[in-house]
Each structure stands twice: as C-alpha cells, then as structure tokens.
Amino acid sequence: MAKVTSVIDIGSNSARMAIFRKTSRFGFHLVHEVKSKVRISEGCYENNGILQELPMQRAISALKEFLQIAKAHKSRKLFCVATSAIRDAPNAKEFLSRVKKACGLDIKVIDGRTEAFYGGIACANLLHEKNGITIDIGGGSTECALIENGKIIDTISLNVGTIRIKELFFDKKSNISSTKKYIQDQLKLLPKHYKHNVVFGIGGSIRALSKFIMKQEDYPFMRVHGFEYEVHAYKKLFEKLIASSQSKLESLHIPQDRIDTIRSGTLILYMFLEHLQAERLITSGAGVREGVFLADMLRNNNLHFPPNFNLCVRSLLDRFSLDETESKLLKSSALKIFDSLLQAHGCTQKDRALLGVAASLSKIGVLLNFYQANSHGAYLLLNGLEYGFSHHERVLIELLVQYSNKKIPKQERLLSCKLPNLEKLQWLSFILSLAQSVHKGGARANIRFESLYLRDCIHFRIYTQDSLYLCKESLHKLQKPNANLEIEIIEE
C-alpha cells in the first residue's frame, strides 16, 4: 500500500498538486498542496487552440518543482492528469514530449467526461449531500456530473470556461449578449435530465465567489468546503460582479489572481444555475485531484466508502491514536442514553448520529493538553471533520465537545437556525457528559439505561455491575437540561 500519493492536475488556468497520506485502508488526510498559475491556455483560444511557448515553459518549470516536493514527501505513487487546454491543443503531443524529456513525467490527458467523472467521485464521497449536479468551471471547459444516491448517473463536458470566455469575448469587449448567446448554445447541449435543485460547485472561480459571499455576510466559519447558500439570494450580487469594471472589482477586494476571470466565471455559473433550475449551491473544496486519488483508493470498493463510514472520523482515530475501545464505549453509552431519553429531548436521528461522532472523538483534545481538553478537542473537530459534514453539523459537534458538562451560552456566535434549538443542544451536551461520567471510573461491564416518566418527573436509571463510585460523585455537577430529571444508579 502506497502510504503517500501525489496527484497533479494541469488545468487551463492553474497547475496544482495535492499530496495525500493514507492512515488506514480508507482513512487519509491531505499533507500538502501547491498551486502555480501557469495558465497553460494563455493565448491559445485566440490562436486556434495552439499552446503558446511562454505558458509551456511556465508549466515545465512548475512541474519540475512539483516533483521535487513529491519526492521530499516520500511519495510512492504519482498521478498527473491534464484537461481542456491540452486535450484540445493541436500541439499537445509536442508539449507532452517536452515534459517527458525535461521532467521524466508521463501526463495522462483525460477527456471531458472523465474529468467530470473525477469531480463527481470527489463530490459523491466528500460532501454531505448525495444528490445533485456538479458544476466544475475550469479555464477552458465546464464539466457536469449527475449524482443520485451517491452514484454518478451521467457526465458531460461543455466548451465554456473562464479563460476561453475571457479571450474570445471579454478581452475583445464584445457585447454581453453575444457572450451569453455563446454560453446558451453550449447549455443547449445538456440533456433534459440535467435539472436539480442542488448544485455542487467545483473549481477556483466558484470557491472565490463563495469566499466573497462569506466575507460579505460576515460568515462566522470561514471554511469553503461544504459552504452552502440559496441561489436566489445572490442573483443581484452575481449581476453586479458580471457588470463590474476591473477597478470596481479591486475595490470589492476580489483576490488579485481572480480579477481577470471572476466576471467570466460568475457569468458562466449564473447561466448554469438558471438552466439547471438550481435553488441551493454547496461549495466543494475537492475536485479532480481528490477524484483521481479516490478512484485509485476505492477501485476495489465500487468507488464508494463503506456504508455509515466517514473518512475524517477514521483518519482522526488513526492519526491521534485514540483508544478505540474507550471511543466505542462512549459512543455506545451516549446513543443508549439518547434513545432512553428520546421522549424528553425530542432530537432527530441525525442529531443522534452527530452525538455519536462527538462521543467517539470527545477525548481527542486530551492528547494536546489534559487541562484544556474540551477547547482543544472542539477546535480539532471543527477543523478536522472536513469531509462528509455540513458546516452546521461540524459546529454542532464542536459545541457538544466544547461545552461538555457546561451550559451552552445563548450568545454563542456559531448558533444558527440550522442547528437544534438551545434546549435540544443542552440535552445533547448533557447526554455526552453523562456518558463520560458513567465511564469515568473505567467501567467496562454491561450497563443498561432506563427512563420512567411519572407526572412531571423524569426518573433516569443506570443499571450496572460496577459501583460507579466516581460517577455517583460527579452527578451533582452535571448541567441538567430539566430540573425535574432525577438520576439513580442501581447495582445489579
């Protein structure tokens, strides 16, 4: 098993390399990422697709250093793929030959459907939603993959990209109507079944737009992967960006490396969202590179992770060498307590699943500092649960660990309408704290939980073969979400 794998993606705008380290069969994490704005397609669309000399030289220089970085990380396996600009170039073979001679690197030029497929694999496995359509806006083309129940149903690639539109229309100051007509003609090639209310946004332009929206809204969790928004709420913003001059874009603090392509990228996205009838966009920080890596790692598993598996949970357990027996015990007890108290707290099954994640990883902060374990653990989980969770799910887990055995303050900034209400959050926090108390003395024997509802009082009973002395001692410290909750430990 190659523990370290490097994936290079030569796009029309940038060349990027991601380096992944496997922690177990299905666990992995990103250890390095590097980007070079080689813009291999620069000048090619106004020259019949022919790759120009200077961009080719930039690409070769970047690739040489990419390989040095991969070697420094002891990468045992390396993939290099190239997309739109190179696959369309009449002189592609010349470029590939020069790279082989200068770097000893074999580049695999992938067609549009394969590129869409890799993006689809990344979204289907690494986002929290399993149904939607990907939009991967590149410099030369845009790819779409239709995903249903986590499976890729169909893929397509269209010849519309940020640099292509920039060079063919915006640089020539063409009328916006002619630009829209070109994009609309490409959209007509999409089959009729490409309609969905959820879109997964891939690529630098979409990530830049999401970051811009997050700053505009003073969004409290600045992580682009999994960030989502309602499309209708930002149509006017899109129109404003499309019509903006360069000086206006600079005043809006658009990143310098996106100034010249943000207008074309926004226009493409705007028209695709309209055509697909999208209502919600979920931003993906993962794309072709992750897709190439996953296609290799999951090749014997139908390109999917096992059911009810989350790679970040697995990776954190692996990397931090957590006691899996203790993690499983805490999770098991937390879920049993949740089920026993279901009538009292009224939380959902999704809340139950997130409570299980919080319980199984709740001790992770101890490995950094025992006395501030909750704070450290909360930070590690908020930032470490990158894939497979929405932002509000990550925040919920962070809150449960941060305020274990404490009341969650009403003014907590990360509270949002997508989280359970404060009362339910207090119940979930209490359940996690009680599970930790039950196992405080190292209890391993079979423990049962039972709730009895008598008038306004909730009698919660813990049946055990151990004394649970330390648990009894700590019960009065627990922050009960209901003053009429009584806890009793019964030795069997």
Side-chain angles (χ1 to χ4, degrees), residues 275-327:
H275 184 88
L276 299 175
Q277 299 176 3
E279 298 174 7
R280 183 162 55 106
L281 185 145
I282 303 176
T283 316
S284 175
V288 170
R289 293 173 301 286
E290 288 79 6
V292 171
F293 172 74
L294 290 169
D296 177 62
M297 187 176 77
L298 301 174
R299 62 187 181 280
N300 297 320
N301 210 62
N302 296 319
L303 301 179
H304 288 90
F305 289 112
N308 303 315
F309 173 89
N310 181 272
L311 79 92
C312 286
V313 174
R314 180 68 264 166
S315 176
L316 289 172
L317 286 168
D318 294 338
R319 288 151 61 195
F320 287 88
S321 301
L322 292 171
D323 184 334
E324 286 210 46
T325 301
E326 182 181 30
S327 293

Side-chain angles (χ1 to χ4, degrees), residues 443-459:
R444 293 290 189 268
N446 185 39
I447 300 174
R448 294 187 299 110
F449 306 99
E450 181 184 54
S451 293
L452 299 174
Y453 298 87
L454 301 175
R455 296 180 183 176
D456 295 330
C457 193
I458 305 168
H459 295 274

Side-chain angles (χ1 to χ4, degrees), residues 13-15 35-40 58 62 66 163 256-261:
N13 188 36
S14 302
K35 165 189 171 183
S36 175
K37 192 177 177 180
V38 298
R39 192 157 285 187
I40 189 70
R58 289 197 300 257
F66 282 9
I163 299 175
Q256 199 60 42
D257 64 342
R258 289 289 166 189
I259 284 284
D260 60 344
T261 58

Side-chain angles (χ1 to χ4, degrees), residues 127-158:
L127 283 173
H128 56 281
E129 292 274 0
K130 300 302 176 187
N131 296 281
I133 298 176
T134 65
I135 302 178
D136 186 354
I137 301 176
S141 63
T142 295
E143 282 66 45
C144 294
L146 177 61
I147 301 173
E148 293 181 4
N149 298 318
K151 295 182 179 179
I152 300 169
I153 305 301
D154 195 17
T155 60
I156 193 169
S157 177
L158 303 178

